[in-house]
């Protein structure tokens, strides 16, 4: 199964609550891989990539789009709003980047329809009245996955290029959805003809890219191509393994790769877990190390912690090693990429959460199984000295202030996994390679030279 190139198939997944800076590492590691694959989520994700000063904010397109040598796949486990995808294709092509022959969309991926966003908003409004809002991105992600699981009301990408089927299917499901929406107190009129015509127009634009990506990915594996799996959202937002119910609706940990691509689990060679040097969370849900104070505000300002998709200010806090140990375990992380370390310059003291005290006074170091259990936990901290120097121009571990080096060593020791990369700024060059993965034998590694 190992590719001839020497690069094992690699997954890049977030180990916190999203926004860890995965896009930068996908972009960087794409140089060592042949195919970049998205396997979960939809336009709830947002990644900004910066290369030589060029900035691109994307939601659905794989982050490696700027690398013309990479094939890009949006696989079956995703949910796709075709209007957003068409916009992104136009944006990318307007930069002179060609997608012809190198971009593939699974015909099995599910379509996010306009009513999914309406249902998402309505559900959030209901929950909000009870003070229980999930704080979704309102991109229709949950309702689209619910229809996928429910089976009878779903539309898949392959349906967009089958006019006769789509017309008869919409004729059946639109009135039912209209009824459901009415019962839920939403009287937005569904114009089936207009919807059909929009979907067919999008289908026509996307047709060159829609294919059976399960076969395509198996073909690439059989041709010894190396694959890079790009996780969207993050492990603690995984519908099965995250802080349920304050999660997204897909398997956003590395465990989503197999069902989300059609490749067997053994296809995965290594997993890089991406971790912010502190913690953030957008939306509702428990967050034991949250800093609702000046320190949290300072992290937010320095880290420009505002959502790429929604613009919402992110909740900020100290790094949570209990959560990280759990997420690294669930994802099978082989190494870590620590991001946004430069944001922590200028703090006198940094704190690392190494355990929790439960509501009943028990000390635990195992992450609890759901939001209710986590809500009663208060963090137990280890204090660490800060550093005053800015570190964004550091290019090796020895360039970093000694307190900063020792902060990284503490993270590595507590999580029990080697730190492979350290990011000190958004640019690809602002990346320090620390430990060398034993499995990477490529001469032309992107971090050398
Ligand atoms: P949904 O995925 O839009 O249904 O949102 C569910 C929860 O996941 C909300 O708390 C969102 O803020 C969060 N979420 C979803 N995608 C991301 C992401 O890419 N980064 C951070 N949070 C996310």
């Amino acid at each position: 199964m190992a590719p001839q190139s020497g690069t094992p198939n690699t997954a890049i997944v977030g180990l916190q609550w999203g926004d860890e800076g995965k896009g930068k590492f996908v972009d960087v590691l794409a140089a060592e891989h042949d195919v970049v694959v998205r396997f979960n989520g939809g336009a709830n994700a947002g990644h900004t990539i910066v290369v030589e000063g060029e900035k691109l904010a994307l939601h659905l397109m794989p982050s490696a789009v700027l690398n013309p040598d990479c094939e890009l796949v949006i696989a079956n486990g995703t949910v796709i709003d075709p209007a957003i995808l068409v916009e992104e294709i136009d944006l990318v092509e307007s930069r002179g980047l060609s997608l012809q022959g190198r971009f593939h969309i699974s015909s099995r991926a599910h379509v996010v329809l306009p009513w999914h966003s309406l249902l998402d908003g309505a559900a959030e409004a209901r929950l909000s009245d009870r003070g229980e809002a999930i704080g979704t991105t309102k991109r229709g992600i949950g309702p689209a996955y619910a229809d996928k699981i429910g089976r009878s009301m779903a539309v898949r990408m392959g349906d967009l290029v089958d006019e006769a089927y789509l017309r008869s299917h919409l004729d059946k499901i639109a009135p039912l959805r209209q009824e459901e929406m009415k019962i839920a107190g939403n009287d937005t009129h569904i114009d089936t003809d207009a919807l059909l015509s929009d979907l067919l127009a999008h289908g026509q634009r996307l047709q060159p890219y829609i294919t059976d990506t399960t076969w395509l990915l198996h073909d690439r594996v059989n041709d010894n191509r190396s694959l890079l799996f790009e996780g969207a959202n993050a492990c603690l937002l995984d519908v099965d393994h995250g802080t349920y119910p304050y999660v997204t609706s897909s398997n956003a940990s590395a465990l989503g790769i197999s069902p989300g691509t059609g490749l067997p689990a053994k296809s995965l060679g290594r997993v890089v877990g991406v971790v912010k040097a502190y913690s953030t969370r957008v939306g509702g849900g428990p967050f034991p190390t949250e800093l609702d104070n000046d320190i949290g505000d300072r992290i937010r300002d320095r880290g420009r912690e505002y959502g790429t998709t929604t613009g919402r200010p992110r909740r900020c806090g100290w790094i949570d090693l209990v959560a990280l140990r759990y997420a690294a375990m669930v994802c099978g992380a082989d190494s870590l990429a620590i991001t946004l370390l430069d944001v922590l310059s200028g703090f006198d003291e940094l704190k690392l959460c190494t355990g929790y005290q439960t509501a009943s006074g028990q000390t635990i170091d195992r992450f609890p199984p759901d939001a209710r259990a986590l809500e009663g936990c208060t963090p137990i901290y280890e204090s660490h000295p800060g550093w005053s120097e800015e570190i964004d121009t550091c290019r090796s571990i020895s360039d970093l202030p000694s307190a900063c080096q020792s902060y990284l060593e503490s993270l590595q020791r507590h999580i029990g996994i080697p730190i492979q990369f350290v990011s000190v700024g958004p640019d690809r060059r602002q990346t320090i390679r620390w430990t060398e993965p034993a499995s990477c034998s490529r001469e032309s590694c992107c971090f050398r030279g």
Side-chain angles (χ1 to χ4, degrees), residues 32-68:
E32 297 179 9
H33 294 79
D34 302 302
V35 190
V36 176
V37 189
R38 268 202 64 179
F39 57 91
N40 77 298
N44 52 353
H47 31 264
T48 309
I49 46 179
V50 183
V51 179
E52 310 281 345
E54 187 179 12
K55 221 175 193 186
L56 226 51
L58 302 170
H59 299 283
L60 283 165
M61 272 284 175
S63 305
V65 67
L66 290 182
N67 184 330

Side-chain angles (χ1 to χ4, degrees), residues 53-97:
E54 187 179 12
K55 221 175 193 186
L56 226 51
L58 302 170
H59 299 283
L60 283 165
M61 272 284 175
S63 305
V65 67
L66 290 182
N67 184 330
D69 298 327
C70 256
E71 267 188 298
L72 310 168
V73 174
I74 303 184
N76 61 279
T78 60
V79 287
I80 300 174
D81 183 327
I84 295 177
L85 185 54
V86 165
E87 255 175 46
E88 290 190 8
I89 291 172
D90 290 345
L91 175 74
V92 163
E93 288 186 339
S94 73
R95 304 273 171 128
L97 288 159

Side-chain angles (χ1 to χ4, degrees), residues 117-127 184 186:
S117 315
L118 294 174
L119 292 168
D120 197 351
E124 279 291 275
R126 272 196 311 277
L127 286 170
N186 187 325

Side-chain angles (χ1 to χ4, degrees), residues 7 9 45 52 54 56 80 146 157 174 184 223 258 313 319 348 366 373 384:
T7 306
N9 298 331
E52 310 281 345
E54 187 179 12
L56 226 51
I80 300 174
M157 289 304 286
D223 288 345
S258 235
I319 196 155
D348 294 334
R366 290 195 162 199
H384 200 283

Side-chain angles (χ1 to χ4, degrees), residues 311-332:
R312 290 178 290 180
R314 296 181 184 137
R315 300 157 65 191
C316 298
W318 297 125
I319 196 155
D320 184 340
L321 299 166
V322 180
L324 281 171
R325 272 195 301 268
Y326 165 78
M329 174 186 79
V330 167
C331 290

Side-chain angles (χ1 to χ4, degrees), residues 211-401:
T211 189
D212 185 339
T213 58
T214 303
W215 280 107
L216 181 135
L217 289 172
H218 278 267
D219 286 345
R220 296 299 180 270
V221 168
N222 291 334
D223 288 345
N224 290 317
R225 303 278 159 204
S226 58
L227 313 183
L228 182 63
F229 301 102
E230 173 179 4
N233 328 125
C235 183
L236 300 178
L237 292 172
D238 184 291
V239 66
D240 282 292
H241 302 284
T243 48
Y244 194 88
Y246 296 95
V247 292
T248 189
S249 302
S250 68
N251 283 122
S253 65
L255 301 178
I257 293 172
S258 235
T261 60
L263 289 164
K266 66 182 177 183
S267 309
L268 187 56
R270 63 173 170 163
V271 177
V272 180
V274 187
V275 175
K276 263 181 203 184
Y278 48 92
S279 305
T280 62
R281 176 158 208 176
V282 209
F287 180 3
T289 62
E290 182 168 15
L291 293 165
D292 194 9
N293 58 21
D294 288 354
I295 300 175
D297 292 347
R298 209 159 129 210
I299 293 176
R300 184 177 308 105
D301 286 347
R302 280 189 60 86
R304 288 183 288 280
E305 292 292 355
Y306 296 88
T308 320
T309 303
T310 59
R312 290 178 290 180
R314 296 181 184 137
R315 300 157 65 191
C316 298
W318 297 125
I319 196 155
D320 184 340
L321 299 166
V322 180
L324 281 171
R325 272 195 301 268
Y326 165 78
M329 174 186 79
V330 167
C331 290
D334 297 292
S335 65
L336 303 174
I338 304 294
T339 59
L340 291 136
L341 186 62
D342 51 306
V343 172
L344 293 186
S345 288
F347 289 85
D348 294 334
E349 182 196 25
L350 303 172
K351 289 187 178 176
L352 293 79
C353 169
T354 55
Y356 297 145
Q357 187 161 57
T358 64
S360 62
Q362 222 191 333
T363 299
I364 56 167
D365 62 3
R366 290 195 162 199
F367 196 66
D370 57 38
R372 261 195 328 282
L374 187 58
E375 252 147 27
C377 292
T378 50
I380 298 168
Y381 285 120
E382 187 177 293
S383 172
H384 200 283
W387 58 91
S388 56
E389 304 90 325
E390 294 296 345
I391 58 169
D392 53 323
T393 55
C394 294
R395 295 292 176 268
S396 74
I397 288 294
S398 57
D399 291 343
L400 296 170

